[in-house]
């Protein structure tokens, strides 16, 4: 595939619902000749890590249009506690992240093993692609963000799982004897990792809930009103996956033109 080396793609967090929207959007753009995988740099956080990996590995995105709804897992009371800790005025960021990690460890949530299996299926592989892909997570013990790459020695599905291990939804993911949680807690969409790119595409499923810096994005894409209605109030509601995926597919038609011009 011909790549656009000066173009960076940043894909933000958004839970399972946001993941579905990103995958639908990515599939629609691929069909329209504006394949996001052409970006010379892909930065993925949480939902964005999953979608970024699926795009970069060339995953057949038609195969992930539908998933079994399954049962709602995790403890929805955890996230409000976590946000209260993270937003406390004057708190030390590292101490706050360590406390969030403790809460995540104690929560009755999806076991990491099941989450890892799901990530492997969504990516279609455990192997990193040749593309320049950065996946973010948070080291619980250190209380600091980390960035995984193909040179980190971590399987792709494990990097994805750590990046999307939202407290209360998924137990912390252990890699090399250390525990990791959702990369969004280390820097939102982590748009700073694309600093210096010639052009920036920023796609954020939950920009309406978690506004952040746009990094001077040339193209910034968010769910439109119809997509947000399909999202519903619970980003972890896997029963909405199929409908939200279709909304991403539909919305791709509105942004294919500007993106095709960048991804030449």
């Amino acid at each position: 595939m011909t790549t656009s080396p000066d173009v960076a793609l940043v894909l933000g967090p958004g839970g399972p619902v946001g993941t579905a929207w990103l995958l639908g959007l990515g599939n629609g753009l691929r069909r329209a000749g504006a394949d996001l995988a052409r970006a010379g740099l892909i930065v993925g956080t949480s939902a964005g890590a999953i979608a970024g990996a699926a795009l970069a590995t060339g995953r057949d995105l038609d195969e992930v249009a539908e998933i079994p709804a399954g049962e709602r897992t995790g403890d929805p009371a955890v996230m409000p506690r976590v946000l209260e800790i993270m937003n406390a005025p004057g708190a030390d960021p590292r101490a706050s992240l360590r406390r969030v990690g403790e809460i995540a460890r104690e929560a009755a949530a999806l076991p990491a093993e099941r989450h890892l299996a799901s990530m492997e299926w969504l990516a279609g592989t455990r192997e990193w692609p040749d593309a320049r892909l950065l996946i973010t997570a948070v080291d619980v013990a250190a209380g600091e963000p980390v960035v995984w790459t193909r040179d980190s020695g971590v399987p792709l599905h494990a990097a994805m799982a750590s990046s999307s291990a939202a407290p209360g939804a998924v137990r912390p993911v252990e890699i090399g004897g250390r525990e990791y949680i959702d990369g969004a807690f280390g820097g939102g969409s982590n748009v700073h990792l694309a600093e210096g790119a010639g052009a920036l595409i920023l796609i954020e499923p939950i920009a309406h809930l978690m506004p952040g810096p746009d990094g001077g994005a040339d193209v910034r894409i968010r769910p439109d009103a119809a997509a947000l209605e399909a999202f519903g109030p619970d980003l972890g509601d896997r029963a909405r996956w199929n409908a939200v995926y279709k909304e991403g597919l539909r919305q791709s038609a509105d942004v294919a033109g500007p993106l095709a011009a960048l991804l030449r």
Side-chain angles (χ1 to χ4, degrees):
M1 177 191 297
T2 302
T3 61
S4 301
D6 295 331
V7 177
L9 169 67
V10 175
L11 302 172
V17 170
T19 304
W21 178 77
L22 284 171
L23 291 171
L25 185 77
N27 198 11
L29 291 170
R30 181 187 284 174
R31 294 177 185 177
D35 193 342
L36 294 172
R38 291 180 188 161
L41 169 66
I42 301 174
V43 178
T45 296
S46 198
I50 299 169
L55 288 164
T57 59
R59 180 76 160 97
D60 183 344
L61 298 180
D62 287 329
E63 292 183 354
V64 297
E66 298 185 5
I67 63 171
E71 296 182 4
R72 180 68 165 88
T73 58
D75 183 353
V78 169
M79 191 57 69
R81 293 173 58 201
V82 165
L83 294 177
E84 182 178 358
I85 292 169
M86 294 300 300
N87 294 326
D92 176 67
R94 294 179 62 182
S96 295
L97 285 172
R98 287 194 290 267
R99 177 60 184 141
V100 168
E102 292 173 1
I103 293 173
R105 188 184 300 119
E106 296 164 359
L110 184 74
E113 293 77 13
R114 288 177 56 188
H115 191 49
L116 283 159
S118 177
M119 295 302 101
E120 183 175 0
W121 179 77
L122 284 167
T125 180
R126 295 186 175 197
E127 303 297 324
W128 285 78
D130 292 332
R132 189 179 173 209
L133 173 64
L134 309 183
I135 291 179
T136 69
V138 170
D139 182 320
V140 170
E144 294 180 346
V146 298
V147 179
W148 304 119
T149 72
R150 62 179 302 170
D151 297 323
S152 298
V154 174
L156 177 61
H157 73 304
M160 295 162 62
S162 69
S163 184
S164 55
V170 179
R171 298 291 298 277
V173 174
E174 184 176 327
I175 299 174
R178 301 183 71 86
E179 293 180 317
Y180 298 88
I181 59 171
D182 199 306
F185 291 95
S189 295
N190 291 287
V191 69
H192 65 282
L193 294 175
E195 185 177 354
L200 173 61
I201 301 167
L202 176 59
I203 307 180
E204 297 180 295
I206 55 171
H208 60 296
L209 298 176
M210 195 176 71
D214 66 6
D218 295 86
V219 178
R220 190 177 193 181
I221 302 170
R222 312 174 185 190
D224 60 18
L228 288 178
E229 183 176 356
F231 272 38
D234 180 5
L235 295 175
D237 187 358
R238 293 168 59 89
R240 292 181 176 267
W241 180 287
N242 305 347
V244 173
Y245 179 97
K246 292 176 182 176
E247 289 299 323
L249 198 64
R250 173 195 57 77
Q251 195 175 345
S252 67
D254 298 332
V255 296
L259 290 180
L262 286 177
L263 296 167
R264 290 182 291 186

